[in-house]
């Protein structure tokens, strides 16, 4: 009974209470930001409101994290604006070309980063559009405009921080703990299931792997939540890396047809990993340092990122050429929107889908803003009236954003961002229908033009992305197992897991052949690294020559030699859980995986 | 008696004295964080976030009062 009540959150009008409280927080923070900006007589009060709309994240840590990166991205963007304006003053075409290249660089950076770091990268890209391009005819105002924007963003961030603190916005950390514990339970269930059923269930494995890797960007948000946050964040990161290692150990232990010693070692290894994760989770719960702090490196696919960057440059160049040729004096505003949509699209797996979403969402935001500005407010100049009139729109959009359905959620986010952009609250409000029409027209025109360029030159296809990721995995496997910049085997395993996550994000679940090869590469690489790490333990003792021999066999991927070395290690019949027995079991499992996985020299049918 | 607050000047741009205090208080909080963790500050309060905000405001007030 109690469990049933706990499962069903309290709802008002069929919407959970925490969605309502989130929406009301966003609205309050936006009103506070506008009030402070009006009171301080900032030049760009609308930017403060838009900032609140953008950093509206359900938990306090995420909002603060995104806010920090928004500030950082703005600083980089303003610096780049000043540099670009200074270098190419009085030369319009060169400024546009430099801006296109800068957008390309930022899209590249966004593709090799994840989470809010990627957002900061694209933000520093389109900030240049807002500052240098909008002031293209009066470059002496670039610095002022940058400072005005920075001040407004700071006001927006502080309003959000104060409102979410005073209204007790939920923390990310308790939920993260529940998620990690649930994943650990499922990994154990997976291990039990695989030891009963002979056929390995790789769908479960892939699902778990994807869920674990998806937590990575959110872990750093925990650091900002309290004074113990950074310790908790380190513990959570170690737990996540440990979970991948445990999952891999579970996968290894499912091999039924290996010799009994090796299988016993695999089971012991699984238990050890499970215990490590348990310790990390305990450390997370009680805010202690974990036993060892692992980093969680991200796989960076530079080729994919570079190609995305080049395509973004071309899209922007097409749009800029069109606007220059059309010769509208106000087109710079629209060009900024092209940069904005290009940039934000680069942080999603499907850039063209994002443009389509904007093209659909923008008219809705325009209609709603029209109703708000010319029917509800219609000339009102009192601040309380503005605050009350904005409430249904902002609260509605924020509630939509928290919806489970991705369509409604993205529609809510677009409205939360574009309603303040189009309304552009200022003191006094001008209620100029012409500027409203121009802004609306340019917004739709920017989305339509970008969609046209993206149809002409499509974004990097999922097939190509997957092929590159697979090629990266193969290439890394061919290289001898080396400790890259002091990476532990577990950390390298996490990096490989993040590659599988990227592979799945590029529609890898449908491509079962390539997925199987990806998993084979993951298994082999993980086992080879573990083996190498185990052999390091023998490097000091009397068995050092044998360890060297084993390492050479690993480099040659010689399964037969590995087996014979394992036999020789077991010659003096060492005690059951000595290092020698462990290494021998590890070598046997590695040779087994090398045999069955077909290794890197298997026929490459998947490509 | 009115106190004279000195303005912060970065590359010819004047910042309000309050901005200096805001930033200094932020730096103090960041430096204090490991200490707060050791003391177990986060576990002392039911609403840690409000407690930390209050600590920030207290430090800000002290800075304005003393310097």
């Amino acid at each position: 009974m109690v469990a049933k009540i706990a499962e069903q959150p309290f709802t008002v009008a069929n919407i959970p209470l925490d969605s309502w409280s989130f929406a009301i927080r966003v609205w309050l923070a936006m009103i506070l930001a506008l009030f402070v900006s009006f009171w301080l007589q900032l030049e760009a009060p609308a930017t403060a409101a838009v900032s609140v709309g953008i950093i509206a994240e359900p938990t306090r840590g995420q909002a603060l994290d995104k806010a920090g990166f928004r500030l950082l991205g703005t600083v980089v963007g303003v610096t780049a604006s000043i540099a670009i304006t200074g270098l190419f003053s009085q030369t319009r075409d060169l400024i546009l070309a430099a801006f296109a290249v800068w957008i390309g660089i930022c899209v590249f950076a966004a593709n090799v980063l994840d989470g809010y770091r990627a957002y900061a990268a694209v933000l520093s890209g389109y900030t240049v559009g807002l500052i240098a391009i909008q002031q293209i005819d009066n470059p002496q105002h670039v610095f002022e405009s940058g400072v005005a924007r920075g001040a407004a963003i700071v006001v927006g961030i502080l309003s959000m921080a104060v409102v979410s603190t005073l209204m007790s916005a939920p923390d990310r950390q308790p939920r993260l703990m529940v998620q990690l514990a649930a994943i650990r339970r499922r990994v154990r269930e997976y291990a039990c299931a695989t030891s009963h059923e002979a056929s390995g269930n790789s769908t479960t494995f892939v699902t778990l792997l994807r869920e674990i890797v998806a937590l990575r960007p959110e872990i750093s948000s925990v650091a900002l939540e309290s004074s113990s946050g950074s310790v908790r964040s380190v513990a959570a990161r170690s737990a996540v890396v440990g979970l991948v290692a445990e999952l891999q150990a579970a996968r290894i232990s499912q091999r039924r047809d290996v010799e009994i010693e090796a299988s016993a070692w695999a089971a012991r290894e699984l238990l050890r990993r499970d215990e490590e994760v348990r310790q990390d989770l305990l450390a997370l719960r009680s805010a202690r340092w974990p036993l060892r702090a692992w980093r969680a490196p991200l796989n960076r696919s530079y080729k994919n990122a570079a190609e995305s960057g080049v395509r973004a440059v071309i899209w922007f160049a097409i749009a800029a050429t069109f606007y220059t040729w059309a010769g509208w004096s106000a087109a710079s505003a629209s060009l900024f929107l092209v940069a904005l949509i290009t940039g934000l699209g680069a942080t999603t797996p499907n850039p063209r889908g994002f443009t389509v979403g904007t093209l659909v969402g923008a008219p809705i935001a325009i209609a709603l803003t029209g109703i708000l500005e010319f029917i509800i407010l219609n000339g009102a100049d009192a601040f309380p009236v503005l605050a009350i009139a904005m409430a249904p729109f902002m609260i509605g959009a924020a509630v939509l954003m928290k919806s489970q359905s991705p369509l409604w959620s993205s529609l809510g986010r677009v409205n939360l961002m574009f309603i303040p952009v189009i309304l552009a609250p200022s003191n006094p409000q001008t209620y100029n229908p012409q500027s409203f029409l121009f802004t609306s027209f340019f917004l739709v025109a920017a989305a339509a033009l970008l969609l046209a360029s993206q149809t002409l030159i499509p974004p990097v296809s999922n097939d190509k992305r997957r092929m590159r990721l697979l090629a990266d995995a193969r290439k890394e496997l061919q290289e001898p197992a080396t400790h890259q910049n002091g990476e532990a085997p577990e950390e390298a395993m996490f990096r490989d897991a993040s590659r599988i996550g990227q592979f799945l994000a590029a529609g890898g679940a449908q491509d079962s052949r390539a997925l199987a090869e990806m998993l084979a590469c993951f298994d082999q690489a993980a086992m080879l690294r573990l083996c190498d790490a185990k052999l390091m333990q023998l490097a000091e003792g009397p068995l050092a020559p044998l360890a060297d021999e084993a390492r050479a066999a690993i480099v040659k991927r010689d399964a037969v030699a590995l087996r014979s070395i394992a036999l020789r290690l077991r010659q003096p019949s060492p005690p059951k859980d000595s290092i020698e027995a462990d290494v021998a079991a590890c070598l046997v499992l590695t040779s087994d995986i090398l045999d069955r996985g077909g290794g890197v020299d298997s026929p490459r049918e998947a490509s | 008696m009115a106190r004279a607050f000195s303005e912060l000047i970065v590359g010819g741009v004047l910042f309000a004295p309050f901005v200096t205090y805001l930033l200094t208080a932020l730096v103090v909080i960041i430096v204090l964080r490991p200490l707060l963790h050791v003391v177990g500050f986060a576990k002392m309060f039911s609403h840690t976030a409000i407690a930390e905000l209050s600590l920030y405001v207290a430090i800000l007030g002290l800075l304005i009062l003393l310097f």
Side-chain angles (χ1 to χ4, degrees):
Chain A
M1 188 66 192
V2 174
K4 224 176 191 178
I5 291 169
E7 269 168 25
Q8 291 185 336
F10 187 62
T11 60
V12 177
N14 251 344
I15 292 167
L17 201 59
D18 62 335
S19 293
W20 283 115
S21 75
F22 164 69
I24 291 172
R25 276 200 310 273
V26 170
W27 169 66
L28 275 180
M30 203 174 272
I31 297 307
L32 180 65
L34 278 177
F35 181 79
V36 174
S37 324
F38 288 157
W39 179 57
L40 292 174
Q41 301 184 354
L42 296 183
E43 288 93 335
T47 306
V50 175
S51 294
V52 172
I54 286 177
I55 60 172
E57 293 286 339
T59 62
R60 216 162 50 84
Q62 282 171 300
L64 286 177
D65 203 14
K66 193 166 187 182
F69 280 112
R70 184 166 166 78
L71 207 55
L72 181 73
T74 305
V75 170
V76 174
V78 170
T79 315
S81 310
I82 295 171
I84 290 177
T85 319
L87 284 175
F88 305 106
S89 172
Q90 309 287 328
T91 48
R92 183 195 62 190
D93 296 345
L94 281 183
I95 284 199
L96 286 178
F99 181 34
V101 172
W102 175 246
I103 286 276
I105 294 172
C106 292
V107 168
F108 170 81
N111 270 281
V112 295
L113 299 168
D114 70 339
Y116 301 135
R117 285 179 177 76
Y119 166 71
V122 295
L123 172 69
S124 52
Y126 67 74
T127 299
V128 176
L130 190 70
I131 291 172
I133 303 300
Q134 296 234 27
Q135 304 286 349
I136 198 164
D137 295 326
N138 32 358
Q140 71 275 19
H141 289 161
V142 164
F143 183 73
E144 280 168 39
S145 153
V147 170
R149 188 173 156 75
I153 288 178
V154 170
V155 167
I157 289 173
L158 289 183
S159 313
M160 191 68 188
V162 168
V163 168
S164 32
T165 304
L166 292 183
M167 287 193 60
S168 308
D171 280 347
R172 184 73 186 85
Q173 172 253 324
R175 204 174 133 55
L176 183 68
M177 218 143 66
V178 172
Q179 277 175 312
L180 287 175
I183 290 179
R184 174 173 169 245
R185 202 189 57 236
R186 283 166 58 202
V187 170
R188 285 155 61 121
E189 279 167 11
Y190 167 76
C192 291
T194 49
S195 54
H196 293 310
E197 300 158 21
S199 67
N201 191 350
S202 68
T203 322
T204 323
F205 176 77
V206 167
T207 314
L208 281 167
L209 204 63
R210 172 155 57 178
E211 281 179 33
I212 297 171
V213 172
L215 287 176
R216 182 187 182 273
E218 295 175 20
I219 283 174
S220 51
S221 303
V222 172
L224 296 167
E225 281 181 343
S226 73
S227 53
S228 308
S230 36
V231 176
R232 284 205 157 109
S233 164
V234 171
R237 198 168 289 126
S238 294
V240 164
V241 175
L243 273 172
V244 170
E246 185 183 347
L247 191 59
Q248 201 267 344
R251 193 169 155 81
I252 296 294
S253 71
Q254 83 184 48
R255 291 179 178 269
R256 296 283 84 198
D257 47 354
V258 289
E259 58 175 59
I260 192 111
E261 287 96 339
S263 139
W265 175 78
R268 276 205 307 279
E269 186 74 1
L270 176 64
L271 282 180
R272 189 176 68 84
R273 294 284 187 206
D274 189 56
E275 177 59 21
E276 277 178 4
V277 173
R278 197 181 71 85
Q279 293 290 345
D280 286 339
L281 288 180
L282 268 181
L284 172 63
R285 188 183 301 271
S286 52
R288 274 185 293 111
W289 277 96
L291 294 178
R292 65 172 86 61
W294 272 324
R295 290 166 301 166
L298 181 74
N299 175 55
R300 301 185 202 283
S301 171
Y302 291 105
K303 276 186 193 153
N304 278 337
E307 195 173 339
S308 303
V310 169
R311 281 171 199 236
V313 172
I314 298 173
W315 297 332
F316 186 80
I318 292 176
T321 315
F322 176 77
Y323 282 127
T324 317
W325 169 75
W328 297 324
S329 57
S332 58
S334 195
L335 205 52
F336 155 65
L337 289 166
V338 170
L340 174 82
I341 303 168
T342 312
L344 291 182
T347 58
T348 64
N350 179 6
R352 196 160 50 185
F354 182 81
T355 314
V356 173
T358 315
L359 197 56
V360 174
I364 298 174
I366 289 167
L368 288 176
T369 317
I371 293 171
L372 171 63
E373 192 171 357
F374 297 105
I375 297 178
I376 298 179
L377 285 171
N378 197 21
D381 57 357
F383 187 76
V385 179
L386 175 71
I388 294 168
M390 278 180 86
F393 295 93
M394 292 299 115
I395 294 178
V399 163
L400 266 191
M401 205 193 106
K402 281 272 277 180
S403 149
Q404 297 293 325
S405 137
L407 177 72
W408 288 114
S409 168
S410 64
L411 217 57
R413 191 170 266 295
V414 165
N415 275 293
L416 204 56
M417 194 165 71
F418 281 127
I419 290 179
V421 168
I422 305 169
L423 179 66
S426 60
N427 189 23
Q429 183 80 356
T430 50
Y431 295 104
N432 183 354
Q434 200 187 11
S435 79
F436 169 75
L437 278 181
F438 268 135
T439 315
S440 311
F441 170 70
F442 280 138
L443 178 56
V444 176
L449 191 57
L450 183 60
L451 186 62
S453 340
Q454 286 178 337
T455 312
L456 197 65
I457 296 167
V460 187
S461 73
N462 276 344
D463 289 340
K464 209 167 184 181
R465 277 176 192 274
R466 288 202 303 268
M467 248 171 62
R468 288 217 177 105
L469 288 168
L470 191 56
D472 281 354
R474 279 190 203 129
K475 193 172 151 237
E476 208 177 281
L477 195 57
Q478 274 169 341
E479 286 162 6
T482 47
H483 296 282
Q484 292 175 348
N485 47 41
E487 228 172 35
E490 290 81 2
E491 293 172 339
M493 207 188 287
F494 187 86
R495 195 157 44 79
D496 285 355
S498 79
R499 182 186 295 134
I500 294 181
Q502 292 165 353
F503 181 81
L504 292 170
Q510 278 81 41
D511 192 353
S512 51
R513 264 188 183 177
L515 181 61
E517 196 181 344
M518 235 13 221
L519 291 180
C521 285
F522 174 77
D523 285 342
Q524 291 188 36
M527 210 54 218
L528 289 174
R529 284 197 202 97
L530 274 184
C531 223
D532 200 54
K534 284 261 174 247
L535 287 171
M536 288 298 266
Q537 295 176 346
L538 293 183
E540 297 295 308
L543 291 169
L546 210 54
D548 287 339
E549 211 175 300
R551 218 172 276 125
I554 285 179
V555 171
K556 279 191 260 167
R557 308 285 187 267
D558 188 348
V560 181
L562 283 177
R563 252 187 224 110
S564 76
I565 293 169
L567 272 180
R568 276 154 66 198
L569 273 171
R570 282 177 185 155
Q571 280 298 310
S573 72
K576 210 177 171 194
D577 46 359
S578 68
I579 296 176
E580 289 84 359
D582 277 2
V583 173
C586 191
L587 288 178
V588 168
L589 275 175
T590 309
S591 61
D592 183 53
I593 285 175
L594 282 180
D595 276 350
R596 297 238 254 121
V600 283
D601 300 314
S602 66
R604 307 231 166 117
E605 56 218 344
S607 60
Chain B
M1 198 187 83
R3 247 181 79 186
F5 290 100
S6 57
E7 269 167 341
L8 176 71
I9 306 172
V10 180
V13 182
L14 301 182
F15 284 93
F18 189 60
V19 174
T20 325
Y21 287 113
L22 280 179
L23 290 180
T24 319
L26 192 67
V27 171
V28 172
I29 281 283
I30 291 171
V31 171
L32 275 183
R33 266 171 75 104
L35 192 71
L36 291 179
H37 169 66
V38 172
V39 176
F41 188 81
K43 288 177 203 153
M44 283 182 208
F45 300 91
S46 63
H47 289 71
T48 318
I50 298 183
E52 287 186 0
L53 179 70
S54 311
L55 185 69
Y56 177 79
V57 173
I59 290 175
L60 181 67
L62 268 180
L63 282 177
I64 296 177
L65 200 67
L66 297 179
F67 300 102

